[in-house]
Amino acid sequence: MPAVTLDQTSQGQDRLTTWRGPLRTYAREKATGKVSQRYQQWLTVNQQLKRHILHELKRRGPLPARVFENKTEAGAGWYSSGWTSGRDVSQMLDYLWTTGKIMVAGRSGIQKLWDLSERCLPEWTPREKLSEKEVVRRATQKALRALGVGTPQHITQHFTRKRYPHLKETLHALLAEGLIEKVRVEDDKADWFIHTADVPLLDRIEADDFAFERTTLLSPFDNLICDRARTAKLFNFDFKVEIYTPQHKRKYGYYVLPILHGDRLIGRIDPKMDREHGRLHIHAVHAEHNAPMTRATARAIRTAIEELATFLGATEIHYTHLVPSSWQRELK
């Protein structure tokens, strides 16, 4: 992993360690680009559908999507080249959800039950309307706290993705206020930042006073690995979702889960749940070239897989022979 240094210009000293490891409304309504412009046009001409959904929820909610009439203006239905074409009610529910006006209040079977946010949220929920500047200010700090360290590009790809106007000015302001600091990442010329609240973690890591002991399996869409280039840079872990890759071209499997062991990504598993028989199949376990090939590591991986099985309701786990030899004794 690359080394991270607290920048002398922001702290006045040089410490070296190893790095281990109301906003939604603004994001949707400020979207740009051709698709977003067409989306905004669709919203403009379909206010009747919007009013209908909100009226029914206020009068009868919580409700499933199927009860709403499609009150779309003639010739103004939603069109896409994918799966959402013609699904105007679903599109409007998604808009109202992402802009914070409605929420999922429960479920009826597999159907979501929608209701007005004001009836779902507790009284203490903040309801002030934020300016664009304040949204970016808060979102930048939230993204940076989640990332640990990050560049402006990483921040842009996190939380309110691609919705950070004037991010450069915001970063300068946060630096001046002492809320963030610059760091230098080994062999990288980009500007990296850390939130001031996380600076003590650098000291603890440097003093070997910070333990990363948990072993867990990550979703293919986990925020830790969703930025593939950043994951490769910080963890030397090349990850690709192969769900839409033809089977004969897949390298690791259909729905592969990376293995996070402490502060390292050490491998991945290829699981499949057989719900009819209550059996979790582990088609393969792959180890990274630098993974610790110890029995203790294998036991930790086994525990993580057992936790997955429990979550899925499996009563049995079945491993194939595609397991690293050093881990086979525990993973069988």
Side-chain angles (χ1 to χ4, degrees):
M1 298 179 189
V4 175
T5 309
L6 195 61
D7 198 310
Q8 288 181 320
T9 60
S10 62
Q11 188 69 12
Q13 54 182 319
D14 191 14
R15 292 182 287 180
L16 183 67
T17 187
T18 302
W19 174 251
R20 323 266 187 172
L23 296 184
R24 289 187 306 180
T25 302
Y26 168 80
R28 195 62 182 263
E29 294 182 345
K30 293 294 183 179
T32 59
K34 290 184 178 179
V35 174
S36 295
Q37 289 175 5
R38 183 163 57 84
Y39 185 82
Q40 294 298 328
Q41 293 171 357
W42 175 83
L43 286 172
T44 300
V45 298
N46 284 289
Q47 291 300 301
Q48 183 181 2
L49 175 60
K50 175 183 173 181
R51 289 192 296 268
H52 164 66
I53 291 175
L54 292 174
H55 175 74
E56 289 301 300
L57 287 177
K58 183 177 181 179
R59 187 170 67 93
R60 302 166 51 199
L63 297 171
R66 66 176 181 271
V67 307
F68 300 108
E69 296 180 44
N70 189 357
K71 293 182 176 292
T72 304
E73 295 292 332
W78 176 255
Y79 169 78
S80 78
S81 59
W83 297 336
T84 61
S85 190
R87 298 176 60 183
D88 296 277
V89 169
S90 295
Q91 284 292 316
M92 188 60 74
L93 286 170
D94 180 71
Y95 167 77
L96 292 171
W97 172 61
T98 57
T99 54
K101 294 178 176 62
I102 66 174
M103 297 180 68
V104 177
R107 287 182 179 272
S108 176
I110 63 173
Q111 294 288 316
K112 296 175 182 175
L113 295 178
W114 299 97
D115 204 354
L116 300 177
S117 295
E118 62 199 51
R119 292 206 289 244
C120 298
L121 296 171
E123 288 298 322
W124 51 260
T125 304
R127 287 174 167 79
E128 72 272 26
K129 188 171 183 178
L130 305 178
S131 66
E132 177 183 274
K133 182 178 180 180
E134 183 61 21
V135 167
V136 178
R137 174 186 171 85
R138 295 192 189 189
T140 298
Q141 293 181 79
K142 190 174 183 69
L144 202 51
R145 291 299 305 272
L147 290 166
V149 293
T151 67
Q153 180 63 24
H154 297 155
I155 294 170
T156 298
Q157 294 297 326
H158 203 80
F159 194 43
T160 54
R161 295 183 179 177
K162 300 182 180 180
R163 308 290 188 269
Y164 290 87
H166 310 295
L167 177 59
K168 184 176 180 180
E169 291 83 350
T170 299
L171 290 170
H172 282 313
L174 293 172
L175 276 170
E177 294 175 51
L179 291 173
I180 66 173
E181 298 185 24
K182 280 190 174 183
V183 293
R184 292 194 302 273
V185 173
E186 188 177 52
D187 300 325
D188 194 295
K189 295 182 179 180
D191 289 329
W192 290 69
F193 300 90
I194 187 173
H195 198 280
T196 303
D198 291 329
V199 170
L201 292 177
L202 295 179
D203 293 324
R204 292 181 61 189
I205 294 171
E206 186 177 41
D208 201 22
D209 183 35
F210 196 90
F212 301 86
E213 297 178 351
R214 185 184 181 193
T215 300
T216 191
L217 305 173
L218 300 180
S219 159
F221 309 103
D222 191 280
N223 281 331
L224 182 66
I225 58 174
C226 63
D227 187 333
R228 310 306 187 200
R230 183 177 186 274
T231 302
K233 174 70 177 178
L234 292 181
F235 295 95
N236 194 28
F237 188 78
D238 184 20
F239 184 71
K240 176 185 177 182
V241 176
E242 298 182 298
I243 293 174
Y244 302 110
T245 301
Q247 185 173 358
H248 68 281
K249 293 184 178 181
R250 291 176 192 150
K251 185 176 180 180
Y252 294 108
Y254 175 77
Y255 197 82
V256 170
L257 308 182
I259 304 169
L260 178 63
H261 180 63
D263 62 337
R264 298 169 59 190
L265 292 165
I266 64 169
R268 54 200 99 195
I269 71 167
D270 178 17
K272 184 177 182 180
M273 180 63 187
D274 179 356
R275 297 189 181 278
E276 181 180 355
H277 299 96
R279 184 181 300 125
L280 177 61
H281 292 275
I282 307 299
H283 293 313
V285 179
H286 304 278
E288 293 294 288
H289 70 279
N290 58 351
M293 307 306 293
T294 65
R295 289 187 62 184
T297 301
R299 284 195 295 270
I301 295 171
R302 183 188 66 196
T303 298
I305 292 174
E306 290 172 349
E307 290 174 350
L308 174 64
T310 300
F311 175 76
L312 295 174
T315 57
E316 180 183 350
I317 301 174
H318 178 261
Y319 293 90
T320 68
H321 67 282
L322 297 177
V323 176
S325 57
S326 298
W327 293 347
Q328 283 183 351
R329 186 169 180 177
E330 301 294 335
L331 302 180
K332 64 179 180 180

PDB file of all heavy atoms in Angstrom, residues 55-79:
ATOM      1  N   HIS A  55     -50.993  13.204  -3.350  1.00  0.00           N
ATOM      2  CA  HIS A  55     -52.353  13.302  -2.805  1.00  0.00           C
ATOM      3  C   HIS A  55     -52.812  11.963  -2.244  1.00  0.00           C
ATOM      4  O   HIS A  55     -53.382  11.898  -1.131  1.00  0.00           O
ATOM      5  CB  HIS A  55     -53.313  13.778  -3.893  1.00  0.00           C
ATOM      6  CG  HIS A  55     -54.751  13.783  -3.459  1.00  0.00           C
ATOM      7  ND1 HIS A  55     -55.262  14.736  -2.600  1.00  0.00           N
ATOM      8  CD2 HIS A  55     -55.791  12.932  -3.747  1.00  0.00           C
ATOM      9  CE1 HIS A  55     -56.541  14.482  -2.383  1.00  0.00           C
ATOM     10  NE2 HIS A  55     -56.885  13.393  -3.063  1.00  0.00           N
ATOM     11  N   GLU A  56     -52.584  10.887  -2.990  1.00  0.00           N
ATOM     12  CA  GLU A  56     -53.009   9.560  -2.545  1.00  0.00           C
ATOM     13  C   GLU A  56     -52.255   9.130  -1.294  1.00  0.00           C
ATOM     14  O   GLU A  56     -52.840   8.507  -0.398  1.00  0.00           O
ATOM     15  CB  GLU A  56     -52.813   8.542  -3.665  1.00  0.00           C
ATOM     16  CG  GLU A  56     -53.781   8.705  -4.826  1.00  0.00           C
ATOM     17  CD  GLU A  56     -55.237   8.571  -4.375  1.00  0.00           C
ATOM     18  OE1 GLU A  56     -55.589   7.497  -3.851  1.00  0.00           O
ATOM     19  OE2 GLU A  56     -56.000   9.546  -4.535  1.00  0.00           O
ATOM     20  N   LEU A  57     -50.984   9.450  -1.236  1.00  0.00           N
ATOM     21  CA  LEU A  57     -50.203   9.093  -0.042  1.00  0.00           C
ATOM     22  C   LEU A  57     -50.706   9.867   1.171  1.00  0.00           C
ATOM     23  O   LEU A  57     -50.830   9.307   2.274  1.00  0.00           O
ATOM     24  CB  LEU A  57     -48.717   9.370  -0.272  1.00  0.00           C
ATOM     25  CG  LEU A  57     -47.991   8.403  -1.218  1.00  0.00           C
ATOM     26  CD1 LEU A  57     -46.545   8.842  -1.406  1.00  0.00           C
ATOM     27  CD2 LEU A  57     -48.042   6.974  -0.696  1.00  0.00           C
ATOM     28  N   LYS A  58     -50.994  11.135   0.978  1.00  0.00           N
ATOM     29  CA  LYS A  58     -51.496  11.939   2.091  1.00  0.00           C
ATOM     30  C   LYS A  58     -52.849  11.430   2.571  1.00  0.00           C
ATOM     31  O   LYS A  58     -53.144  11.406   3.777  1.00  0.00           O
ATOM     32  CB  LYS A  58     -51.602  13.406   1.659  1.00  0.00           C
ATOM     33  CG  LYS A  58     -52.041  14.333   2.789  1.00  0.00           C
ATOM     34  CD  LYS A  58     -52.046  15.785   2.318  1.00  0.00           C
ATOM     35  CE  LYS A  58     -52.455  16.715   3.472  1.00  0.00           C
ATOM     36  NZ  LYS A  58     -52.435  18.138   3.036  1.00  0.00           N
ATOM     37  N   ARG A  59     -53.672  10.974   1.634  1.00  0.00           N
ATOM     38  CA  ARG A  59     -55.030  10.534   1.966  1.00  0.00           C
ATOM     39  C   ARG A  59     -55.087   9.091   2.452  1.00  0.00           C
ATOM     40  O   ARG A  59     -55.841   8.771   3.378  1.00  0.00           O
ATOM     41  CB  ARG A  59     -55.911  10.691   0.723  1.00  0.00           C
ATOM     42  CG  ARG A  59     -57.398  10.434   0.966  1.00  0.00           C
ATOM     43  CD  ARG A  59     -58.206  10.843  -0.250  1.00  0.00           C
ATOM     44  NE  ARG A  59     -57.929   9.979  -1.391  1.00  0.00           N
ATOM     45  CZ  ARG A  59     -58.656   8.888  -1.688  1.00  0.00           C
ATOM     46  NH1 ARG A  59     -59.674   8.537  -0.919  1.00  0.00           N
ATOM     47  NH2 ARG A  59     -58.366   8.172  -2.756  1.00  0.00           N
ATOM     48  N   ARG A  60     -54.230   8.206   1.851  1.00  0.00           N
ATOM     49  CA  ARG A  60     -54.399   6.773   2.111  1.00  0.00           C
ATOM     50  C   ARG A  60     -53.130   6.047   2.545  1.00  0.00           C
ATOM     51  O   ARG A  60     -53.195   4.864   2.888  1.00  0.00           O
ATOM     52  CB  ARG A  60     -54.898   6.085   0.837  1.00  0.00           C
ATOM     53  CG  ARG A  60     -56.188   6.627   0.287  1.00  0.00           C
ATOM     54  CD  ARG A  60     -56.416   6.138  -1.144  1.00  0.00           C
ATOM     55  NE  ARG A  60     -56.275   4.691  -1.255  1.00  0.00           N
ATOM     56  CZ  ARG A  60     -56.063   4.053  -2.402  1.00  0.00           C
ATOM     57  NH1 ARG A  60     -55.942   4.752  -3.534  1.00  0.00           N
ATOM     58  NH2 ARG A  60     -55.952   2.747  -2.435  1.00  0.00           N
ATOM     59  N   GLY A  61     -51.985   6.732   2.519  1.00  0.00           N
ATOM     60  CA  GLY A  61     -50.700   6.051   2.725  1.00  0.00           C
ATOM     61  C   GLY A  61     -50.591   5.353   4.061  1.00  0.00           C
ATOM     62  O   GLY A  61     -51.356   5.663   4.984  1.00  0.00           O
ATOM     63  N   PRO A  62     -49.635   4.385   4.168  1.00  0.00           N
ATOM     64  CA  PRO A  62     -48.651   3.938   3.176  1.00  0.00           C
ATOM     65  C   PRO A  62     -49.288   3.055   2.082  1.00  0.00           C
ATOM     66  O   PRO A  62     -50.222   2.312   2.363  1.00  0.00           O
ATOM     67  CB  PRO A  62     -47.655   3.128   4.005  1.00  0.00           C
ATOM     68  CG  PRO A  62     -47.939   3.459   5.436  1.00  0.00           C
ATOM     69  CD  PRO A  62     -49.394   3.778   5.507  1.00  0.00           C
ATOM     70  N   LEU A  63     -48.700   3.139   0.864  1.00  0.00           N
ATOM     71  CA  LEU A  63     -49.261   2.440  -0.284  1.00  0.00           C
ATOM     72  C   LEU A  63     -48.166   1.813  -1.149  1.00  0.00           C
ATOM     73  O   LEU A  63     -47.068   2.363  -1.267  1.00  0.00           O
ATOM     74  CB  LEU A  63     -50.054   3.417  -1.151  1.00  0.00           C
ATOM     75  CG  LEU A  63     -51.286   4.076  -0.525  1.00  0.00           C
ATOM     76  CD1 LEU A  63     -51.793   5.176  -1.451  1.00  0.00           C
ATOM     77  CD2 LEU A  63     -52.370   3.046  -0.247  1.00  0.00           C
ATOM     78  N   PRO A  64     -48.478   0.674  -1.806  1.00  0.00           N
ATOM     79  CA  PRO A  64     -47.540   0.101  -2.771  1.00  0.00           C
ATOM     80  C   PRO A  64     -47.656   0.805  -4.109  1.00  0.00           C
ATOM     81  O   PRO A  64     -48.667   1.467  -4.396  1.00  0.00           O
ATOM     82  CB  PRO A  64     -48.008  -1.363  -2.871  1.00  0.00           C
ATOM     83  CG  PRO A  64     -49.476  -1.284  -2.606  1.00  0.00           C
ATOM     84  CD  PRO A  64     -49.657  -0.182  -1.591  1.00  0.00           C
ATOM     85  N   ALA A  65     -46.678   0.642  -4.954  1.00  0.00           N
ATOM     86  CA  ALA A  65     -46.643   1.348  -6.245  1.00  0.00           C
ATOM     87  C   ALA A  65     -47.821   0.972  -7.139  1.00  0.00           C
ATOM     88  O   ALA A  65     -48.301   1.793  -7.931  1.00  0.00           O
ATOM     89  CB  ALA A  65     -45.325   1.052  -6.951  1.00  0.00           C
ATOM     90  N   ARG A  66     -48.306  -0.255  -7.019  1.00  0.00           N
ATOM     91  CA  ARG A  66     -49.329  -0.730  -7.959  1.00  0.00           C
ATOM     92  C   ARG A  66     -50.664   0.012  -7.848  1.00  0.00           C
ATOM     93  O   ARG A  66     -51.497  -0.067  -8.764  1.00  0.00           O
ATOM     94  CB  ARG A  66     -49.562  -2.226  -7.759  1.00  0.00           C
ATOM     95  CG  ARG A  66     -50.165  -2.594  -6.412  1.00  0.00           C
ATOM     96  CD  ARG A  66     -50.474  -4.089  -6.316  1.00  0.00           C
ATOM     97  NE  ARG A  66     -51.063  -4.430  -5.029  1.00  0.00           N
ATOM     98  CZ  ARG A  66     -50.374  -4.761  -3.953  1.00  0.00           C
ATOM     99  NH1 ARG A  66     -49.040  -4.808  -4.018  1.00  0.00           N
ATOM    100  NH2 ARG A  66     -51.002  -5.057  -2.819  1.00  0.00           N
ATOM    101  N   VAL A  67     -50.925   0.733  -6.749  1.00  0.00           N
ATOM    102  CA  VAL A  67     -52.232   1.373  -6.570  1.00  0.00           C
ATOM    103  C   VAL A  67     -52.329   2.715  -7.287  1.00  0.00           C
ATOM    104  O   VAL A  67     -53.429   3.254  -7.444  1.00  0.00           O
ATOM    105  CB  VAL A  67     -52.550   1.572  -5.070  1.00  0.00           C
ATOM    106  CG1 VAL A  67     -52.417   0.275  -4.312  1.00  0.00           C
ATOM    107  CG2 VAL A  67     -51.673   2.663  -4.458  1.00  0.00           C
ATOM    108  N   PHE A  68     -51.208   3.255  -7.750  1.00  0.00           N
ATOM    109  CA  PHE A  68     -51.251   4.582  -8.358  1.00  0.00           C
ATOM    110  C   PHE A  68     -51.621   4.509  -9.840  1.00  0.00           C
ATOM    111  O   PHE A  68     -51.119   3.644 -10.570  1.00  0.00           O
ATOM    112  CB  PHE A  68     -49.891   5.287  -8.202  1.00  0.00           C
ATOM    113  CG  PHE A  68     -49.474   5.481  -6.782  1.00  0.00           C
ATOM    114  CD1 PHE A  68     -48.445   4.737  -6.236  1.00  0.00           C
ATOM    115  CD2 PHE A  68     -50.125   6.392  -5.970  1.00  0.00           C
ATOM    116  CE1 PHE A  68     -48.051   4.899  -4.918  1.00  0.00           C
ATOM    117  CE2 PHE A  68     -49.757   6.574  -4.648  1.00  0.00           C
ATOM    118  CZ  PHE A  68     -48.716   5.814  -4.119  1.00  0.00           C
ATOM    119  N   GLU A  69     -52.482   5.414 -10.267  1.00  0.00           N
ATOM    120  CA  GLU A  69     -52.834   5.503 -11.679  1.00  0.00           C
ATOM    121  C   GLU A  69     -51.703   6.190 -12.437  1.00  0.00           C
ATOM    122  O   GLU A  69     -51.044   7.098 -11.920  1.00  0.00           O
ATOM    123  CB  GLU A  69     -54.115   6.302 -11.852  1.00  0.00           C
ATOM    124  CG  GLU A  69     -55.339   5.673 -11.216  1.00  0.00           C
ATOM    125  CD  GLU A  69     -56.560   6.542 -11.436  1.00  0.00           C
ATOM    126  OE1 GLU A  69     -56.731   7.040 -12.582  1.00  0.00           O
ATOM    127  OE2 GLU A  69     -57.318   6.749 -10.472  1.00  0.00           O
ATOM    128  N   ASN A  70     -51.509   5.761 -13.662  1.00  0.00           N
ATOM    129  CA  ASN A  70     -50.472   6.389 -14.489  1.00  0.00           C
ATOM    130  C   ASN A  70     -51.071   7.610 -15.181  1.00  0.00           C
ATOM    131  O   ASN A  70     -51.564   7.528 -16.305  1.00  0.00           O
ATOM    132  CB  ASN A  70     -49.936   5.394 -15.517  1.00  0.00           C
ATOM    133  CG  ASN A  70     -48.718   5.943 -16.249  1.00  0.00           C
ATOM    134  OD1 ASN A  70     -48.309   7.079 -16.032  1.00  0.00           O
ATOM    135  ND2 ASN A  70     -48.143   5.145 -17.115  1.00  0.00           N
ATOM    136  N   LYS A  71     -51.043   8.745 -14.506  1.00  0.00           N
ATOM    137  CA  LYS A  71     -51.628   9.973 -15.035  1.00  0.00           C
ATOM    138  C   LYS A  71     -50.595  10.761 -15.844  1.00  0.00           C
ATOM    139  O   LYS A  71     -50.378  11.945 -15.639  1.00  0.00           O
ATOM    140  CB  LYS A  71     -52.186  10.822 -13.890  1.00  0.00           C
ATOM    141  CG  LYS A  71     -53.380  10.182 -13.186  1.00  0.00           C
ATOM    142  CD  LYS A  71     -53.907  11.088 -12.094  1.00  0.00           C
ATOM    143  CE  LYS A  71     -55.162  10.502 -11.460  1.00  0.00           C
ATOM    144  NZ  LYS A  71     -56.305  10.496 -12.406  1.00  0.00           N
ATOM    145  N   THR A  72     -49.964  10.075 -16.771  1.00  0.00           N
ATOM    146  CA  THR A  72     -48.954  10.707 -17.619  1.00  0.00           C
ATOM    147  C   THR A  72     -49.619  11.418 -18.782  1.00  0.00           C
ATOM    148  O   THR A  72     -50.574  10.903 -19.377  1.00  0.00           O
ATOM    149  CB  THR A  72     -47.979   9.638 -18.165  1.00  0.00           C
ATOM    150  OG1 THR A  72     -47.420   8.931 -17.072  1.00  0.00           O
ATOM    151  CG2 THR A  72     -46.863  10.288 -18.975  1.00  0.00           C
ATOM    152  N   GLU A  73     -49.120  12.603 -19.100  1.00  0.00           N
ATOM    153  CA  GLU A  73     -49.648  13.348 -20.237  1.00  0.00           C
ATOM    154  C   GLU A  73     -49.433  12.558 -21.525  1.00  0.00           C
ATOM    155  O   GLU A  73     -48.423  11.877 -21.692  1.00  0.00           O
ATOM    156  CB  GLU A  73     -48.946  14.708 -20.343  1.00  0.00           C
ATOM    157  CG  GLU A  73     -49.221  15.637 -19.169  1.00  0.00           C
ATOM    158  CD  GLU A  73     -50.665  16.104 -19.127  1.00  0.00           C
ATOM    159  OE1 GLU A  73     -51.286  16.165 -20.204  1.00  0.00           O
ATOM    160  OE2 GLU A  73     -51.168  16.392 -18.027  1.00  0.00           O
ATOM    161  N   ALA A  74     -50.382  12.630 -22.447  1.00  0.00           N
ATOM    162  CA  ALA A  74     -50.287  11.910 -23.719  1.00  0.00           C
ATOM    163  C   ALA A  74     -49.006  12.283 -24.459  1.00  0.00           C
ATOM    164  O   ALA A  74     -48.699  13.463 -24.636  1.00  0.00           O
ATOM    165  CB  ALA A  74     -51.515  12.229 -24.585  1.00  0.00           C
ATOM    166  N   GLY A  75     -48.274  11.267 -24.851  1.00  0.00           N
ATOM    167  CA  GLY A  75     -47.037  11.493 -25.591  1.00  0.00           C
ATOM    168  C   GLY A  75     -45.881  11.959 -24.740  1.00  0.00           C
ATOM    169  O   GLY A  75     -44.819  12.305 -25.273  1.00  0.00           O
ATOM    170  N   ALA A  76     -46.075  11.974 -23.412  1.00  0.00           N
ATOM    171  CA  ALA A  76     -45.021  12.491 -22.533  1.00  0.00           C
ATOM    172  C   ALA A  76     -44.528  11.423 -21.563  1.00  0.00           C
ATOM    173  O   ALA A  76     -44.011  11.729 -20.502  1.00  0.00           O
ATOM    174  CB  ALA A  76     -45.520  13.711 -21.771  1.00  0.00           C
ATOM    175  N   GLY A  77     -44.709  10.153 -21.927  1.00  0.00           N
ATOM    176  CA  GLY A  77     -44.269   9.068 -21.057  1.00  0.00           C
ATOM    177  C   GLY A  77     -42.763   8.939 -21.031  1.00  0.00           C
ATOM    178  O   GLY A  77     -42.058   9.404 -21.939  1.00  0.00           O
ATOM    179  N   TRP A  78     -42.273   8.311 -19.978  1.00  0.00           N
ATOM    180  CA  TRP A  78     -40.822   8.121 -19.841  1.00  0.00           C
ATOM    181  C   TRP A  78     -40.345   7.088 -20.842  1.00  0.00           C
ATOM    182  O   TRP A  78     -40.924   6.016 -20.983  1.00  0.00           O
ATOM    183  CB  TRP A  78     -40.479   7.683 -18.425  1.00  0.00           C
ATOM    184  CG  TRP A  78     -39.021   7.378 -18.272  1.00  0.00           C
ATOM    185  CD1 TRP A  78     -38.423   6.152 -18.189  1.00  0.00           C
ATOM    186  CD2 TRP A  78     -37.955   8.334 -18.223  1.00  0.00           C
ATOM    187  NE1 TRP A  78     -37.064   6.286 -18.094  1.00  0.00           N
ATOM    188  CE2 TRP A  78     -36.747   7.617 -18.108  1.00  0.00           C
ATOM    189  CE3 TRP A  78     -37.912   9.729 -18.265  1.00  0.00           C
ATOM    190  CZ2 TRP A  78     -35.503   8.235 -18.020  1.00  0.00           C
ATOM    191  CZ3 TRP A  78     -36.670  10.354 -18.190  1.00  0.00           C
ATOM    192  CH2 TRP A  78     -35.490   9.621 -18.060  1.00  0.00           C
ATOM    193  N   TYR A  79     -39.287   7.438 -21.563  1.00  0.00           N
ATOM    194  CA  TYR A  79     -38.691   6.504 -22.524  1.00  0.00           C
ATOM    195  C   TYR A  79     -37.222   6.312 -22.202  1.00  0.00           C
ATOM    196  O   TYR A  79     -36.510   7.269 -21.899  1.00  0.00           O
ATOM    197  CB  TYR A  79     -38.815   7.024 -23.963  1.00  0.00           C
ATOM    198  CG  TYR A  79     -37.981   6.208 -24.933  1.00  0.00           C
ATOM    199  CD1 TYR A  79     -38.434   4.967 -25.382  1.00  0.00           C
ATOM    200  CD2 TYR A  79     -36.730   6.660 -25.339  1.00  0.00           C
ATOM    201  CE1 TYR A  79     -37.655   4.198 -26.234  1.00  0.00           C
ATOM    202  CE2 TYR A  79     -35.948   5.899 -26.201  1.00  0.00           C
ATOM    203  CZ  TYR A  79     -36.412   4.662 -26.643  1.00  0.00           C
ATOM    204  OH  TYR A  79     -35.630   3.887 -27.467  1.00  0.00           O
TER     205      TYR A  79
END
